[in-house]
Amino acid sequence: MISENDLREQLTLCTRIFAMQGMIGVFGHVSVYQPETKTVFITPGMGSDKATLRPDQMVPTDLKGNAIAGTEGPPVEWPIHTALHGARSDALAVAHLHTPHATLFAIAKREFRPVTLQGAIFNEGVPLYPEAQLITNPERGNALLKIIGNKRAALLRGHGIVVVGQNLQEVLYTALVLEDDTKKTLQAASLGEVSTISDQDCRAFGAEIALERRAQRAWNYFASLEARWDRQPGTGRSELFP
Ligand SMILES: [Zn+2]
């Protein structure tokens, strides 16, 4: 079992890296699940400064969103996290983000397909939660669960994204890849028709790489950058929607 201290440390580091990358700001939250105790650890809600989070600020809750300790409750969209942690044994970490490029696919009427080899991890697709609403109750959480199925990520219409992983290292890596792939799609589209990576090529690439190893290396790399980050927004200015 991974200790509570280690989970809190990893969760704060993951969230600070997302902040450094301009992928989380006023909105967005990240969680990690300790199945042995059925405890969810989640970042504090709207308005908290994600760039300076400390492990003691993480909010522990049960699978019904009740805070277990402290006075602060979880973010209002806690059902995103509890629905996934409670139902999927491979969803031990979950990020809900309003990232600038992936969110465009939750707006444009265009299905996401990988355009880079790294994006092949999303070959199974990134389904869309079609309602333009916040996921603030268990019914909506369950609706999201049905839509995402066994996939790595979902788009929330006019809102943002949800990424799930076996651990925070995987969630960090896959969220970075999804953001990069959607950004490149947008940029390449200005040059003309965009070519996507075929199902067959995605599978072949997937068979050649070990996701766990990539995720751990990316984690180590970004942790090293974060350690010497000056805590200023990546763009030099702060935006309501990063
Ligand atoms: Zn949201």
Side-chain angles (χ1 to χ4, degrees):
M1 175 166 112
I2 304 175
S3 74
E4 176 174 335
N5 276 351
D6 285 353
L7 291 176
R8 284 174 178 266
E9 290 276 354
Q10 288 180 22
L11 181 57
T12 49
L13 175 57
C14 182
T15 310
R16 293 195 310 255
I17 292 170
F18 279 138
M20 179 175 73
Q21 294 303 105
M23 292 169 67
I24 198 169
V26 175
F27 301 104
H29 22 86
V30 187
S31 68
V32 67
Y33 186 53
Q34 191 178 49
E36 297 86 352
T37 60
K38 294 189 164 39
T39 306
V40 178
F41 296 93
I42 189 164
T43 51
M46 182 182 171
S48 58
D49 183 356
K50 313 301 188 298
T52 60
L53 284 182
R54 301 181 316 270
D56 61 285
Q57 291 175 283
M58 300 304 103
V59 181
T61 78
D62 63 21
L63 283 173
K64 290 182 174 158
N66 302 307
I68 292 169
T71 50
E72 183 158 10
V76 293
E77 288 188 287
W78 58 264
I80 293 175
H81 302 262
T82 53
L84 286 158
H85 289 316
R88 275 178 58 174
S89 60
D90 65 339
L92 294 172
V94 173
H96 165 52
L97 307 168
H98 297 192
T99 58
H101 298 94
T103 301
L104 298 176
F105 277 81
I107 298 170
K109 293 186 174 175
R110 176 173 178 147
E111 197 183 336
F112 172 80
R113 278 295 306 164
V115 297
T116 70
L117 286 177
Q118 306 303 328
I121 55 174
F122 291 104
N123 186 37
E124 308 300 326
V126 182
L128 175 71
Y129 179 86
E131 310 296 338
Q133 60 188 194
L134 298 179
I135 298 179
T136 49
N137 61 48
E139 291 70 35
R140 293 177 185 182
N142 285 333
L144 169 66
L145 191 61
K146 283 204 184 91
I147 286 162
I148 198 168
N150 61 359
K151 302 190 175 65
R152 294 185 182 284
L155 304 162
L156 308 179
R157 186 166 162 244
H159 177 182
I161 62 169
V162 176
V163 179
V164 310
Q166 310 252 20
N167 49 48
L168 287 160
Q169 288 79 3
E170 190 176 306
V171 158
L172 175 70
Y173 179 71
T174 55
L176 285 164
V177 168
L178 183 61
E179 183 61 10
D180 182 66
D181 224 66
T182 49
K183 182 180 180 182
K184 284 189 167 63
T185 303
L186 181 76
Q187 292 174 331
S190 71
L191 299 173
E193 199 180 339
V194 173
S195 64
T196 57
I197 309 294
S198 70
D199 175 62
Q200 192 184 9
D201 286 345
C202 282
R203 286 174 196 278
F205 182 72
E208 283 174 15
I209 66 154
L211 175 60
E212 200 182 330
R213 189 156 166 263
R214 275 169 191 262
Q216 188 60 54
R217 291 200 170 186
W219 177 274
N220 295 346
Y221 173 76
F222 282 100
S224 150
L225 297 190
E226 196 277 335
R228 57 184 165 83
W229 178 34
D230 63 5
R231 310 283 129 194
Q232 296 306 306
T235 55
R237 65 201 156 90
S238 200
E239 297 178 17
L240 181 56
F241 300 98

